[in-house]
Amino acid sequence: MRDLLEKALNKGLGVSFTTEGGFAVIRITKGAEVVASCSLGSADFRTSVEDSLQSLLLDLERKGI
């Protein structure tokens, strides 16, 4: 997961993890704008975070962010 966080930070993106309504949420920001987010509904938090973060970063690369 560290390599994914470094990849995001090297692109000037911020990554935050919060809990809302009992669900873990990942947000990727560029400046003050949220450019991607998703909630996790998995008991295996680490695997779910890695898969979701990788997916979000790939989507942003496709969008040119």
Side-chain angles (χ1 to χ4, degrees):
M1 179 167 35
R2 181 179 177 176
D3 59 327
L4 294 171
L5 291 171
E6 285 179 5
K7 182 178 182 178
L9 295 174
N10 287 337
K11 291 182 170 213
L13 302 171
V15 179
S16 65
F17 302 91
T18 61
T19 303
E20 295 179 16
F23 295 98
V25 177
I26 301 173
R27 282 197 178 77
I28 298 178
T29 57
K30 187 166 189 169
E33 179 185 0
V34 175
V35 293
S37 67
C38 70
S39 64
L40 310 174
S42 172
D44 186 357
F45 180 77
R46 182 176 177 85
T47 299
S48 187
V49 166
E50 288 177 350
D51 291 346
S52 297
L53 187 54
Q54 185 172 24
S55 178
L56 289 172
L57 290 171
L58 287 172
D59 286 344
L60 291 174
E61 283 180 8
R62 288 184 197 113
K63 293 177 182 176
I65 295 176

